[in-house]
Amino acid sequence: MTDAPLIRLRGLQKYYGDYHALRGIDLDIERGEFFSLLGPSGCGKTTLLRVIAGFEDVSEGTVVLAGEEMTRVAPNKRPTNMVFQSYAIFPHLSVGQNVGFGLRKRRDLTADAKDGLIAEALAMVGLDGYADRAAHALSGGQRQRVALARALVLKPKVLLLDEPLSALDKKMREHMQVELIRLQRQVGITFILVTHDQEEALVMSDRIAVMFEGGVAQIAEAEDLYRRPNSRRVAEFIGTMNFLPATVTGDRVSVPGLGEVPLAAVQATATTDGETVVGFRPETATLLFDGQADTDHVASGHVAEVVYYGDMTYYDVALSGTEATVRLSMRNVFGRPVLEIGAAARVAWSPGALVLFR
Amino acid sequence: MGVPLDQDTKRGLTLIAPPLVYALALLAGPLLAVLVFSFWTQDYLTIDRTPTLANYAEALTDPIYRTIMGRSIAISGVVTIVTVILAFPVAYYVSFHVRPDRKSLWLFLITIPFWTSYLLRIFLWKVMLGFNGVINSALTGLGLIDAPLTFLLYNANAVVLTLSHAFAPFAILPIFVALEKIDRSLLEAARDLGETAVTTFLRVTLPLAMPGVIAALLIVFIPTVGDYVTPAEVGGPGGLMIANLIQAHFGGLNNAPMGATLAILAMGIVTIIALATVLIARKLSGGAR
Amino acid sequence: MLRAYVILFLAFLYAPILLLPVFAFNDGTVIAFPLDGFTTKWFAELWTNDELHAALMNSLFVAGTSSVLAVLLGLAAARANIRYRFPAKAAAMGLIMLPLVLPEIIVGVSLLVVAVRMLGLDLSLWTVVAAHVLICTPFAIAILNASFQSLDPSLEEAAIDLGCSRAETFRLITLPLVMPGIVAALLISFTISLDEFIIAFFLTGSDPTLPVYIWSLLRFPRLIPVVMALGTILMIVSIGILVLAEWNRRRGLARTGAKDSGGFL
């Protein structure tokens, strides 16, 4: 029983009239995990979160939470709590009344005990002494903290977060990402985060499910997902990737512009002979500057475009003998000049970073 | 895949049921009854329930009915155009020249007279326009005229004036709302692209305000056609309108089926004119959206 | 120039209204200039006129009952309209909102036909109430639509998520947050019903409402100064109610920290 996953979703289907919002979702989420549902808008990630919370009925399939079948159980009877995208702070109540809202029905607690829990929850999110403030006077970041405290004070088995950081500015968002990770480790509750921001998902999650059009495309740990995307689509959605046409013949892969390598050296999702595509991340290849010796795998070309970012420079290199242009990201080293457009370029790449797609 | 009524649909239907049943029973049903009634005839006190178009034939051919119907439409039309033209600058001023935090106050000022008893407002116009009324007293007092003017009251002009006054807020508010919705940077963009203040108004502001103007036209036109009190009070014999005729048939003339016929005809004509207004206005504004 | 025009227009709007107190305090039975001196006797006469008291009580009963019923129906309709999707929604809302654009005489006539000619009912204050509920409901819906529109649906979901039943959510979250709209809708419906003449004229039996009574007085010039005094009081009461409604609305906005988006009309 304790070994079973905390959340077990099987065969979830959801229709809105003719619109097929969830197309057969099977998912297990473990106790204490920080799990993210990542995908573009309209991919069904929010619908899936609301199915777990109980706000949406599924057309088919089952939802099991902590070993109990909960597919048709009302949201107020589930061991989940939600942080809404708009935070949904009750504007006519004080901060303390907001945080204590879910404790209202706890007959086993005295008023003092409840006040203690409220103060504790507020302290946990860094809002000590805010209990008597009016809720509508709070800033965006403070509202979010109140929403977190309001959910965590109930000690749910699962905390559901629906794009909780999307309304914050960049600085605040980065700050809250770290804060959320710290909070999750501190309380040990399973967090399920919905986001369309791949960077946010990579930063925060133990595991990520990438969703497209109502289905799960890949479930993996952050590093795995980044290094070994199982499809071009996932690779394109997460970070940047260079794609080049390639041909598989027997146990060799030939990539025009780069060269030929053994199939065993690359990361392959398919090994059938024929035309295919390989990809590599911009930071897995480097430009060789004057005085740097060639390595085993070097492609030549010229610089087609330079984008300067301060700490980084992005180079687009047109590979000799092909139509292909690849993007490289280079950390700027003090004293080293930035190459100019048209300059000859040597690109050192590694076969192990190549991902072969179907 | 056939989905049975989901929870939300059920809740929506449960909620809409009471007001909908009420409207069906007290609005749709009675309107249908009036329609049925209009095909019956009445001879003194007995009602003949044989369906006939006799009332319609009479209503559409008898010069008295035709005159009054035509007059109602004409008076309402003039009232509508006068009211909307008078109202537009006011709405424009409040939307474009009043400080944002003062706008509510201005709207409040404009709507206050409207919340005074309708009957009393009409009566007060009688006092304004009457033989010994305010205007005549003032003009005589100033020595501008020797004898009181008699053309002020008890005619169609008085009806137009009184109705324009009564419906002014109804015209101002929708136009104001439409003007408020206009993104001010559009106007700056037009100026930036070389339009003058006047052409900006004509080519940008006015077309964007058109939905509000159409709403104002309809909101004024539809109820004024059916107005009863104003023509009865300040219209005199030459200012009577269709509502007075309908009332007379249900009351003194005791010919309810004819009254029903006139009501149906009035509704039909109003609906046609309203739809035509919307269509023409859409065409004129280039079918925008 | 525009400003001058607007001021002129306001003068036009207010000119007849300003005559009301002038003649209410004028010591003469003829409503015309020149004035005959100051008196408060018309106000004194108001207190002793039993018919007027009866008419006022009738109107208060009609307006009170109609506004409460209209707001209850309006709450259901506005909630359904904003929150839920269901078949034939546009048609249903269209029918319910129809009285907003229907000449009132049509409403009066159609109800008269059904009540008297078809059902043979006796006309009473209740027939007036039935009709006033019909015409006030669309106004209530228009106001409540705005209230429900500005209510973030995730507030209700949050309450359910935190353990509330639907009924508790409505009581603890929805109702307090739409209360300013409910109060405004009540006040507006009350005022509309209080002032409505033509429908009441068709549908009252032996008990006249205040406007119907005023209408009958306009035929007896001797009593007109009394009507002026009454009108003055009604005007002050109406403005009082409006100020109250506006103040209530602003307080609601301030309480929830929302932005002011113009008046409730």
Side-chain angles (χ1 to χ4, degrees), chain A residues 50 55 75-76 80-82 84 86 88-92 101-102 104-105 136 150 154, chain C residues 152 154-155 157-165 168 172-173 176-177 254-257:
Chain A
R50 292 169 58 81
F55 290 117
N76 48 350
T80 59
N81 282 113
M82 181 113 143
F84 290 82
S86 63
I89 302 300
F90 305 128
H92 57 306
F101 194 86
R104 219 171 26 88
K105 284 199 176 165
H136 64 77
R150 187 174 69 180
L154 301 176
Chain C
D152 177 1
S154 49
L155 288 175
E157 289 183 345
I160 292 173
D161 188 61
L162 294 168
C164 283
S165 66
E168 287 170 321
L172 293 171
I173 304 299
L177 290 175
R255 209 160 56 141
T256 54

Side-chain angles (χ1 to χ4, degrees), chain B residues 41-98:
Chain B
T41 45
Q42 182 162 4
D43 183 22
Y44 193 52
L45 281 178
T46 52
I47 286 190
D48 181 354
R49 302 198 169 188
T50 346
T52 164
L53 289 171
N55 292 331
Y56 285 91
E58 193 184 342
L60 293 172
T61 50
D62 188 322
I64 294 182
Y65 295 142
R66 292 178 56 155
T67 311
I68 293 187
M69 188 70 87
R71 183 194 292 149
S72 300
I73 306 289
I75 288 182
S76 291
V78 174
V79 167
T80 306
I81 291 165
V82 167
T83 309
V84 171
I85 290 177
L86 288 179
F88 194 95
V90 179
Y92 185 85
Y93 178 79
V94 178
S95 180
F96 281 78
H97 293 281
V98 170

